[in-house]
């Protein structure tokens, strides 16, 4: 049964919106004339109550009207906007999922173990040998087939799970919510331009809750800029063509800075007493790190290309977990999804496809942090003078940078890792109740 539009939007937005009535003034009915001068006139009837327009609906309608102006300025026609946006309302599932992305909320060890399941590794190794066009794509773009297979596996289970969300509605939902408004509006405009061009239909624009489409999950702007027709049928079909989807991924990574014949990262072992504050800091060639006692975990030498490449130290699970020197191609992977965990997942899965093993240092066993704990830690960091950025529960680079500075001030290992212990210490110092 379709939900009434006003009720839907109250449920979605009333929690953060101004709920004061904003409807028209109530008209008071006139009093009847008195029958005679002596008796008092009857009491004037009370105003008839009227249902106010829900504040959430007002907020959405205001955003939509403002967005239409920006869309028109971007070159979209009124007819297109009327046709594609008429009746569109936010999807509450999208708003909920936006705060629960596993790359930012799940313990990294659990995330990597899920990424590199034995079943997935087996399928990837089989496809590595079966799909001849992979070598052609690798030769043209310089991106190894194992990296492309890892992207394919993680983004859509090798094309099997492409998502069934209406991309236009997803972008409307994220834009109206406001957390990533500018980005979502840009993607919405790009999706509408794709429809307007005739290259794809609205029905074809299906994808994930975040608007990522096809076998390699391209957002609309990436599709317009980097999708390619590799199989030569005259269409850029990332939904139905394996070759188009993987070549498009290779093109995106190349444009994102992928360097031919350079690695993505290597696991390293840190010496006792290491200064963890340099984590996610300087980008220096491996010899610079070796001079500070950092050694490759596998004991192998660096290739000439890797030895000449700047590398950043990352500690995705803190000082207790594996350490990596991230080479330039790690950051090229992050043009796909700007998450350290995601880039690690792609790289480590690619290594497994090529016959490599899991990291030598085991991932620590961790208890997942709740959204409230992650937000409380960010609020606490700000209160004690270390600005992490918005208290949104996403533990990104800004939060880790602030956490390292705070850890250093407390003479703790400044690895930037938010554990349950760090949350408790922060809340205690900032006066936030457990």
């Amino acid at each position: 049964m379709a939900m009434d539009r006003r009720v839907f939007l109250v449920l979605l937005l009333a929690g953060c919106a101004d709920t004061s009535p904003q409807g028209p003034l109530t008209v008071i009915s006139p009093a009847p004339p008195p029958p005679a001068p002596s008796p008092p006139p009857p009491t004037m009837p009370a105003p008839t109550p009227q249902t106010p327009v829900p504040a959430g609906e007002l907020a959405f309608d205001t955003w939509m009207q403002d967005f239409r102006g920006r869309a028109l300025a971007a070159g979209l026609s009124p007819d297109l906007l009327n046709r594609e946006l008429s009746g569109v309302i936010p999807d509450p599932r999208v708003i909920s999922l936006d705060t629960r992305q596993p790359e930012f909320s799940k313990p990294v060890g659990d995330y990597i173990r899920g990424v590199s399941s034995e079943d997935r590794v087996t399928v990837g190794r089989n496809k590595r040998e079966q799909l001849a066009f992979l070598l052609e794509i690798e030769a043209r773009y310089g991106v190894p087939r194992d990296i492309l297979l890892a992207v394919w596996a993680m983004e859509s289970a090798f094309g099997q799970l492409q998502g069934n969300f209406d991309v236009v509605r997803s972008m409307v939902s994220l834009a109206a919510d406001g957390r990533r408004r500018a980005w979502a509006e840009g993607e919405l405009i790009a999706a509408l331009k794709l429809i307007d061009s005739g290259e794809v239909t609205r029905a074809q624009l299906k994808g994930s809750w975040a608007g990522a489409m096809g076998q390699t999950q391209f957002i609309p702007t990436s599709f317009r800029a980097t999708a390619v027709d590799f199989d030569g049928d005259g269409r850029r079909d990332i939904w139905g063509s394996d070759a188009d989807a993987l070549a498009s991924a290779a093109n995106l990574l190349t444009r994102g800075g992928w360097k031919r014949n350079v690695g993505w990262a290597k696991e390293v072992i840190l010496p006792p007493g290491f200064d963890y504050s340099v984590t996610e800091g300087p980008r220096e060639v491996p010899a610079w790190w070796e001079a500070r006692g950092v050694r490759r975990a596998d004991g192998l030498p660096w290739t000439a290309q890797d030895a000449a490449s700047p590398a950043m130290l990352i500690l995705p699970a803190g000082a207790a977990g594996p350490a990596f020197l991230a080479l330039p191609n790690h950051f090229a992977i992050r043009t796909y999804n700007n998450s350290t965990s995601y880039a690690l997942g792609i790289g480590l899965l690619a290594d497994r496809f090529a016959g490599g093993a899991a990291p030598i240092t085991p991932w620590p066993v961790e208890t997942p942090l709740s959204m409230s704990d992650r937000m409380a830690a960010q609020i606490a960091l700000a209160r004690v003078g270390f600005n992490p950025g918005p208290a949104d529960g996403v533990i990104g680079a800004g939060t880790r940078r602030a956490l390292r500075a705070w850890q250093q001030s407390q003479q703790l290992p400044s690895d930037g890792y938010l554990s349950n212990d760090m949350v408790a210490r922060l809340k205690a110092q900032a006066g936030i109740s457990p």
Side-chain angles (χ1 to χ4, degrees), residues 347-364:
L348 292 171
L349 183 57
D351 287 352
R352 295 292 308 282
F353 290 156
I360 293 172
T361 301
W363 295 102

Side-chain angles (χ1 to χ4, degrees), residues 136-144 148 226 228-230 246-254 258-260:
E136 299 174 36
I137 294 173
E138 183 175 332
R140 179 178 299 182
Y141 295 99
V143 180
L148 299 176
T226 61
V228 298
D229 170 24
F230 193 80
L246 294 177
S248 296
N251 191 37
L252 186 152
L253 290 169
T254 299
W258 187 273
K259 296 187 179 300
R260 191 183 290 261

